[in-house]
């Protein structure tokens, strides 16, 4: 599949340049967000009968992880209500580009211009995830907390600093967005070099400068571009395009991942394994420890989780990378090699998350029907589905789908490692790491 | 020559991975009895291992609240509460791993209370390793060829 | 209106419309719930139990109950009222119509096991209305164990024990020789099996029978008082209410009794302890049905044994007591069928 510019089609280009469609979708998402929060705060505390838990952790999560991220990268961020509210407050407008800016507009601290804070916020959420997933009130409070944090960040800092540097989900989506077959890039960098006003970054009457603090002309990866399409509107030369491209095109470069990104990739892989073991595994004591946040057993679980995702996973990978260097011919520094080979963990990670989510989503999708009729668990029956019983869907097909997805991730990772190394011996340790992870996760998911 | 050897290795690995079932030792069917205790945090034992063809007698003992047990691939759905165990009787015909799930809301962890019924398949780990190895070799082979054409093209 | 103005209205409509509709729906549903509807929420005891815990009703006036659970499966029953229990499911509502004709105090309780404190999950119903004299008298009659002056907590041990499990079938052949007074229900209720054995031993006409045959006769006498329907009802009540602690085999080893210390209670005579073992012949054969009835009625005074007085009718309590003897005497109907 070669690169193909989608915005060559005039109707699509006009659709994307117009602010209305994006606004309508974003506002609808905000409506859904408030619905979910209301259900979480006012409805039944029973997780599988409340719109908050079922709507977010089954329906929305399935859409995000199984469709949106693999196919459209960071498209969710383009319509995410959490960041949008802060953005509107900051701009003092919901539609028109506005010169008025509320808030202090401070620059984000240089030391934090990386993924480390997002690694921390994600880990924090992951430690309480069993409670969040099962408790509607907690789901509602977490969502409101994120909205409040984004709004406050918008009043303190410039642009979408929250989305770029703090949002726990942003780092996750951004990393895996580099695999998507869709990208936003400039067409001709020469034009950008000759353009003095750099309206794509600084803004103009047509629109704001990149809210994601990305310089579009230098964009070569999907990771930090939130697909907000402002640059499509502000470039006076029409030099910005949305392209269709091969899957994972961002990972072919020799640049590699930064250390923060590599640790994120490995930590996310470790988190997928942890979630599978805790939620889908047969170990009741583990579930109880993960659930009782604040207890002694939870502290043990938290220590084990943090040690695993930030210690064992990167440590094991470092060992594999070091072995690879030993067995190879190059004299490349280990750190650079680590960053380069860590790219292989990205597709493996996404496939592991998809395999985990398939089991969870298909088994529990039938909870969506009663919740549509009775979002608060109050005995309503709006569309006649309140009495629908729980029944796992495609239960015999699910293991095959999961195995297929895991094997795809493994193959993809292996191919990437081979592409970034010269000999079989050099590739073997890292490929072996990926194989162990895939087989281990298969053991937990497939029994 | 090396390419041929690699392809042969891939074929063998994939064959072992997908068809290793046939190499499993067949045992005469037996009667297997299990008492599974269900609580709000999980099942104990959570993993039941039987051979293909075994008759399974499964008693579900609830230790705190009302629980239900759904067994993937089998129509039996058992309900139990403290003092009133439920039971299921069936023949484990098909080899494979089948999920056990709680089917009656029993607390916040209800969607995650479950386990496995493993019928046959004691070779599972080796088969998966073999299949994974086969896939990895195939991917590596493909990547080498793609690399060459990629380098040649750029 | 400017584009921005239109956009703001659109955002407001899309973002605030759905939650506003939801809140309006909540308000509407609340208004539709008339005064004759009572919403009752159930949680496990540690989390609050029933809400509300006290209901006030009028005699003879039906009310519509809307019941829901906020955690696990519960059940709603009203003691001594002939009200068929309903299961209450988490996150769902079930409706039931309750009408109590007789004024007085009733207890509503949870009918599905919901944890170790399940039996504490009770509430009260006060039914106002003109008091009926007859029912007052009925309620005022003291239980049999009080009339007999029995000390329910006194230690007891049978000194004569059967060598083998007494059989009502074997004993039924001997019933022809038994004096008629032994067949009266009052006689059964006020004597322990050991008492009756001793009385039979003292009868001259029974001197030719062995001690084991006398035990069989006692078993048959006990069996006469419990027709199959009574035993079946007792078995069902036992399975539903008692087996969780006392075990389905009656050994005091039910799942909810785990971790309780065996043996005697502490210095005050109270404190949780292991449930009674109904297979222990020494203690069971020294207990009269009236004593067991009293234990069930009154409860265990802090030992963890619930008081069933407000819940079970007299008939139900005697049925449970009759069933308890099947752990000592082989029943005419197969007790294993209930227990399996």
């Amino acid at each position: 599949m070669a690169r193909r510019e989608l915005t060559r089609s005039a109707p699509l280009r006009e659709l994307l340049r117009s602010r209305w469609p994006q606004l309508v979708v974003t506002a609808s998402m905000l409506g859904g967000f408030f619905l979910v929060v209301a259900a979480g705060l006012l409805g039944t505390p029973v997780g599988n009968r409340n719109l908050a838990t079922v709507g977010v952790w089954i329906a929305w999560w399935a859409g995000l992880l199984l469709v949106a991220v693999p196919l459209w990268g960071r498209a969710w961020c383009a319509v995410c209500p959490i960041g949008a509210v802060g953005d509107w407050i900051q701009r003092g407008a919901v539609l028109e580009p506005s010169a008025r800016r509320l808030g202090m507009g401070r620059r984000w601290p240089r030391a934090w211009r990386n993924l480390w804070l997002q690694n921390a916020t994600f880990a924090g959420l992951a430690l309480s995830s069993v409670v969040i997933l099962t408790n509607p009130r907690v789901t509602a409070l977490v969502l409101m907390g994120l909205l409040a944090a984004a709004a406050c960040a918008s009043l303190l800092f410039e642009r979408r600093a929250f989305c770029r540097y703090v949002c726990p989900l942003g780092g996750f989506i951004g990393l895996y967005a580099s695999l998507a077959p869709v990208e936003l890039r400039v067409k001709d960098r020469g034009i950008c070099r000759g353009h003095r006003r750099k309206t794509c970054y600084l803004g103009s009457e047509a629109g704001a400068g990149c809210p994601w603090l990305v310089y579009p002309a230098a964009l070569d990866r999907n990771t930090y571009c939130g697909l907000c399409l402002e640059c499509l509107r502000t470039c006076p030369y029409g030099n910005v395009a949305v392209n269709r491209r091969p899957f994972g095109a961002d990972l072919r470069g020799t640049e590699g991942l930064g250390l923060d990104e590599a640790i994120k990739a490995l930590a996310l892989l470790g988190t997928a394994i942890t979630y599978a073991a805790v939620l889908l595994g047969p170990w009741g004591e583990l579930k109880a420890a993960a659930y009782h946040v604040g207890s002694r057993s939870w502290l043990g679980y938290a220590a084990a989780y943090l040690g695993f995702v930030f210690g064992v996973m990167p440590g094991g990978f470092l060992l594999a990378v070091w072995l690879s260097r030993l067995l190879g011919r190059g004299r490349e520094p280990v750190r650079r090699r680590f960053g380069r080979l860590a790219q292989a963990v990205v597709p493996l990670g996404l496939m592991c998350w998809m395999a985990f989510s398939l089991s969870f989503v298909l088994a529990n999708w039938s909870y969506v029907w009663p919740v549509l009729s009775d979002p608060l668990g109050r005995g309503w029956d709006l569309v006649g589905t309140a009495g629908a019983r729980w029944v796992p869907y495609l239960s015999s097909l699910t293991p095959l789908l999961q195995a297929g997805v895991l094997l795809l991730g493994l193959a993809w990772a292996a191919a990437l490692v081979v592409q970034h190394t010269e000999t079989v011996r050099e590739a073997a340790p890292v490929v072996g790491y990926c194989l162990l992870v895939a087989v281990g996760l298969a053991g937990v998911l497939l029994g | 020559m090396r390419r041929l050897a690699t392809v042969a290795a891939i074929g063998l690995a994939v064959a072992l991975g997908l068809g290793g079932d046939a190499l499993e030792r067949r045992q005469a069917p037996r009667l297997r009895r299990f008492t599974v205790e269900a609580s709000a945090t999980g099942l104990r034992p959570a993993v039941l291992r039987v051979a293909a063809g075994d008759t399974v007698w499964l008693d579900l003992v609830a230790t705190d609240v009302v629980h239900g047990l759904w067994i993937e691939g089998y129509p039996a759905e058992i309900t139990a509460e403290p003092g009133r165990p439920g039971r299921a009787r069936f023949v484990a015909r098909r080899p494979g791993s089948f999920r056990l799930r709680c089917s009656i809301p029993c607390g916040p962890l209800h969607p995650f209370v479950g386990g496995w019924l493993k019928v046959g398949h004691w070779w599972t780990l080796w088969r998966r390793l073999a299949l994974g190895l086969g896939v990895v070799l195939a991917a590596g082979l493909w990547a080498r060829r793609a690399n060459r054409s990629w380098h040649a093209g750029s | 209106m400017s584009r921005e103005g239109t956009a703001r209205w659109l955002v407001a409509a899309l973002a605030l419309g759905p939650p506003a509709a939801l809140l309006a729906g909540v308000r509407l549903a609340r208004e539709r719930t008339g005064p004759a509807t009572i919403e009752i929420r159930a949680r496990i005891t540690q989390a609050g139990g029933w809400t509300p815990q006290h209901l006030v009703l009028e005699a003879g006036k039906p009310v519509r109950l809307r019941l829901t659970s906020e955690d696990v499966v519960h059940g709603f029953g009203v003691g001594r009222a002939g009200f068929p229990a309903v299961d209450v499911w988490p996150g769902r509502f079930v409706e039931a119509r309750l009408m109590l004709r007789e004024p007085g105090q009733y207890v509503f309780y949870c009918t599905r096991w919901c944890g170790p404190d399940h039996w504490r999950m009770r509430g009260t119903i006060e039914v106002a209305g003109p008091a009926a004299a007859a029912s007052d008298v009925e309620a005022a009659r003291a239980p049999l164990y009080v009339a007999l002056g029995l000390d329910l907590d006194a230690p007891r041990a049978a000194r004569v024990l059967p060598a083998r499990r007494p059989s009502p079938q074997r004993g039924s052949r001997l019933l022809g020789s038994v004096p008629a007074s032994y067949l009266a229900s009052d006689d059964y209720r006020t004597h322990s099996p050991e008492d009756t054995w001793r009385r039979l031993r003292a009868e001259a006409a029974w001197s030719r029978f062995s001690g084991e045959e006398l035990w069989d006769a006692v078993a048959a006498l006990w069996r006469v008082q419990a027709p199959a329907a009574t035993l079946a009802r007792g078995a069902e009540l036992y399975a539903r209410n008692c087996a969780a602690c006392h075990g389905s085999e009656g050994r005091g080893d039910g799942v909810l009794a785990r971790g309780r210390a065996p043996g005697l209670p502490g210095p005050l005579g109270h404190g949780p302890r292991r449930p009674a073992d109904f297979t222990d012949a020494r203690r069971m054969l020294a207990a009269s049905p009236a004593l067991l009835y009293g234990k069930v009625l009154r409860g265990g005074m802090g030992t963890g044994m619930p008081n069933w007085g407000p819940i079970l009718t007299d008939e139900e309590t005697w049925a449970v007591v009759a069933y308890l003897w099947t752990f000592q005497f082989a029943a005419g109907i197969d007790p294993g069928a209930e227990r399996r």
Side-chain angles (χ1 to χ4, degrees):
Chain A
M1 194 205 296
R3 259 190 184 78
R4 200 177 94 82
E5 189 195 333
L6 295 171
T7 37
R8 198 177 287 178
S9 143
L12 182 67
R13 191 172 61 245
E14 288 318 304
L15 190 76
L16 294 177
R17 287 181 68 137
S18 166
R19 291 177 182 279
W20 287 103
Q22 195 177 4
L23 183 68
V24 164
V25 177
T26 307
S28 307
M29 292 297 164
L30 188 59
F33 179 93
F34 284 138
L35 252 184
V36 154
V37 168
L41 296 176
L42 301 173
T44 176
V46 179
N48 57 301
R49 300 289 300 194
N50 191 305
L51 179 67
T53 31
V54 175
V56 175
W57 304 118
I58 299 178
W60 171 82
W61 180 257
L64 181 77
L65 204 58
L66 299 176
V67 180
V69 170
L71 295 181
W72 302 317
R74 271 199 113 141
W76 165 257
C77 298
V79 296
C80 175
I82 294 175
V85 169
D87 203 28
W88 293 337
I89 294 172
Q90 205 184 61
R91 284 193 295 144
V94 300
L95 184 79
E96 298 294 13
S98 165
R100 185 160 57 106
R101 274 194 141 16
L102 290 168
M104 297 166 69
R106 295 167 67 160
R107 299 202 67 194
W108 186 257
R110 185 176 285 274
W112 292 108
R113 285 189 211 161
N114 46 50
L115 284 181
W116 292 115
L117 193 55
Q118 281 174 311
N119 285 345
T121 55
F122 185 85
L125 226 60
L127 281 174
S128 326
S129 57
V130 182
V131 175
I132 300 173
L133 286 183
T134 55
N135 190 316
R137 232 164 233 89
V138 173
T139 293
L141 292 173
V142 165
L143 290 178
M144 284 304 291
L146 288 173
L147 188 76
C152 290
S154 294
L155 291 172
L156 285 170
F157 296 102
E158 57 176 342
R159 311 196 195 189
R160 285 217 187 190
F162 175 85
C163 299
R164 174 78 193 259
Y165 296 115
V166 185
C167 178
L169 212 49
F172 178 102
I173 300 176
L175 189 74
Y176 293 134
S178 50
L179 300 169
V182 160
E183 65 181 12
L184 182 144
R185 300 281 188 273
V186 301
K187 290 189 263 200
D188 180 353
R189 284 189 181 162
I191 295 176
C192 302
R193 274 197 289 276
H195 183 210
R196 300 186 99 189
R197 280 186 62 198
K198 304 281 193 267
T199 48
C200 57
Y201 190 77
L202 297 173
S204 71
E205 308 79 30
C210 178
W212 290 80
L213 297 157
V214 163
Y215 175 43
L219 200 57
D220 58 357
R221 282 195 297 158
N222 285 354
T223 314
Y224 303 108
C225 166
L227 288 178
C228 67
L229 306 173
E230 280 297 308
C231 52
L232 206 67
R233 298 167 190 134
T234 52
C235 177
Y237 301 107
N239 197 25
V240 178
V242 174
N243 304 322
R244 198 194 66 189
R245 64 178 200 172
F247 283 91
D250 285 350
L251 301 177
R252 298 245 186 91
T254 52
E255 189 63 36
L257 301 180
L259 185 62
D260 57 339
E261 292 168 329
I263 297 294
K264 174 141 219 85
L266 290 159
L268 284 178
L269 190 61
T271 305
I273 298 170
T274 307
Y275 276 24
V278 171
L279 299 176
L280 303 178
W283 304 291
E285 295 86 4
L286 192 55
K287 287 182 228 279
Y291 180 74
H292 292 108
V293 175
S295 67
R296 280 250 306 260
S297 55
W298 177 82
L299 284 171
Y301 163 75
Y305 167 76
L306 293 172
F308 179 63
V309 303
F310 290 118
V312 171
M313 291 299 289
F317 195 76
L318 180 65
L319 181 66
V321 166
W322 179 79
L323 272 172
S324 154
R325 182 170 175 272
L326 204 68
L327 296 166
R329 282 181 241 135
R331 308 225 135 229
E332 188 189 20
V334 171
R335 186 173 167 138
R336 212 178 116 87
R337 182 174 280 251
F338 188 86
R340 213 154 46 78
L341 293 177
Q343 290 176 109
V345 172
V346 177
L348 181 63
L350 179 62
M351 294 300 139
C352 285
W353 277 102
M354 285 175 71
F356 161 74
S357 304
L358 272 171
S359 167
F360 178 64
V361 163
L362 287 174
N364 296 307
W365 188 266
S366 55
Y367 286 140
V368 171
W369 314 129
V371 137
L372 287 176
S373 279
D374 188 11
L376 299 176
R378 283 190 175 233
W380 298 356
D381 198 358
L382 299 171
V383 291
T385 56
R389 290 197 62 202
W390 172 77
V391 51
Y393 290 141
L394 299 179
S395 57
S396 46
L397 197 58
T398 306
L400 289 170
L401 289 171
Q402 290 176 297
V405 153
L406 279 175
L407 285 172
L408 176 62
L410 182 60
W412 199 338
L416 271 173
V417 175
V418 165
Q419 282 176 339
H420 284 292
T421 52
E422 287 177 17
T423 63
V424 170
R425 278 190 340 172
E426 205 182 328
V430 179
V431 169
Y433 177 96
C434 298
L435 181 63
L436 271 176
V437 163
V439 170
L441 189 60
V444 178
L445 292 179
L446 306 178
Chain B
M1 188 59 211
R2 241 170 70 176
R3 171 90 55 86
L4 198 64
T6 314
V7 169
I10 293 170
L12 180 65
V14 170
L16 258 180
L18 295 176
D21 209 14
L23 293 168
E24 188 199 337
R25 234 180 316 144
R26 294 260 176 265
Q27 290 173 336
R30 296 178 295 164
L31 172 65
R32 301 293 311 278
R33 307 181 73 136
F34 296 97
T35 302
V36 175
E37 291 190 353
S39 74
T41 51
L43 302 176
R44 194 201 294 241
V47 180
L48 313 176
R49 284 177 217 276
V50 300
D54 281 353
T55 301
V56 180
W57 284 15
L58 206 164
D59 284 345
L60 180 70
V61 171
T63 60
D64 47 14
V65 299
V66 180
H67 287 276
L69 192 67
W70 170 87
I71 307 169
E72 182 195 333
Y74 295 91
E77 202 177 306
I78 328 169
T79 307
E81 71 182 284
R84 296 207 290 178
R87 68 178 32 135
R89 304 271 188 268
F90 56 91
V91 177
R93 272 181 238 283
R94 275 190 304 138
S97 295
F98 304 93
R99 272 217 180 259
L100 307 171
R101 287 187 203 275
C102 185
S103 58
I104 292 181
C106 57
L109 290 174
H110 159 69
F112 308 120
V113 169
W116 291 100
L117 171 69
K118 299 197 187 188
V119 184
H121 266 182
W122 61 276
W123 261 46
T124 299
L125 176 61
W126 306 113
R127 286 175 54 196
R128 287 195 189 127
L129 271 172
L131 190 57
L133 200 61
V135 162
V136 144
L137 285 173
L141 203 64
W142 175 87
R144 276 267 175 270
R145 286 181 55 204
N147 234 8
R148 274 189 220 116
S149 60
W150 181 48
H151 281 308
S154 62
Chain C
M1 207 196 297
S2 66
R3 275 164 48 103
E4 175 62 25
T6 313
R8 289 183 192 189
W9 278 109
L10 187 65
V11 167
L14 289 171
L16 301 176
L22 189 72
L23 293 173
V26 172
R27 190 76 186 272
L28 205 74
R30 213 171 271 158
E31 276 160 23
R32 275 230 192 104
T33 319
T37 304
I38 303 177
E39 199 171 280
I40 302 180
R41 291 166 185 282
R43 282 187 185 240
I44 59 172
T45 312
Q46 297 96 307
W50 298 105
T51 309
Q53 285 195 341
H54 183 68
L55 307 175
V56 178
L57 306 179
E58 269 182 56
K61 202 160 157 218
V63 283
R64 187 168 141 242
L65 299 176
R66 288 191 79 230
L67 303 143
T68 188
S69 162
E70 295 187 335
D71 43 33
V72 298
V73 175
H74 293 280
F76 180 87
V78 181
R80 303 174 73 102
F83 173 82
V86 288
D87 284 346
V88 182
W89 282 73
R92 287 192 232 171
F93 276 79
V94 68
E95 293 196 356
R97 191 174 160 279
L98 175 65
M99 184 178 67
L100 296 168
R101 287 186 210 281
E102 302 294 334
Q105 293 270 355
Y106 294 82
V107 168
F108 65 90
Y109 63 106
C110 181
T111 59
R112 301 300 297 271
W113 277 93
C114 52
D117 285 324
H118 153 72
W119 67 271
R120 285 186 221 269
M121 192 174 159
R122 296 181 181 180
T124 50
I125 305 177
E126 195 185 308
V127 180
S135 58
D136 274 345
V137 168
E138 172 77 42
R141 206 189 334 152
L144 189 55
Y145 78 94
V146 172
L148 293 173
L150 293 176
D151 179 357
L152 296 181
D153 304 309
R156 60 180 195 273
R159 275 187 242 120
V160 184
L161 296 173
R164 61 169 185 199
R165 194 170 154 116
S167 159
Q169 263 127 333
R170 286 192 301 261
S172 61
R173 285 178 239 127
L174 308 171
L175 282 186
S177 335
V178 163
S181 60
Y182 283 78
L183 295 164
S185 65
D186 274 342
D187 192 89
Y188 150 80
R189 288 177 180 181
T190 54
H191 290 95
S192 69
E194 189 192 17
D195 284 345
T196 302
W197 186 90
R198 285 185 190 281
R199 287 186 296 148
L200 284 174
R201 184 83 290 173
E203 300 268 353
W206 284 72
S207 56
R208 68 182 191 280
F209 293 116
S210 69
E212 293 311 311
E213 284 171 314
L214 291 185
W215 277 117
D216 289 338
V218 170
L221 282 169
W222 257 236
R223 179 66 178 86
V224 160
Q225 300 295 331
T230 305
L231 273 183
R233 183 83 180 108
E236 194 215 320
L237 287 165
Y238 181 88
R240 209 177 256 282
N241 298 307
C242 320
C245 293
H246 287 280
S248 37
E249 306 294 313
R251 282 185 232 283
D253 59 354
V255 288
L256 287 170
R258 287 178 192 169
R260 299 252 195 104
L264 299 172
L268 293 175
H270 304 309
R273 60 177 171 125
R274 215 177 124 142
D277 178 357
F278 301 127
T279 62
D280 179 358
R282 265 180 10 116
R283 299 199 72 227
M284 282 297 282
L285 298 179
S288 64
L291 186 132
L292 294 182
Y293 179 99
K295 288 266 195 186
V296 173
L297 191 82
R298 184 204 69 175
M301 309 288 278
T303 60
M305 167 67 186
N307 59 323
W308 293 100
I311 309 297
L312 299 176
T313 62
D314 286 351
E315 209 181 306
E316 287 172 333
T317 313
W318 286 119
V320 170
V321 168
Y323 180 73
L324 293 181
W325 296 113
T326 63
F327 293 114
Q328 287 298 318
F329 309 138
I333 49 169
D334 182 8
E338 275 80 52
R339 275 181 237 137
R340 264 206 295 277

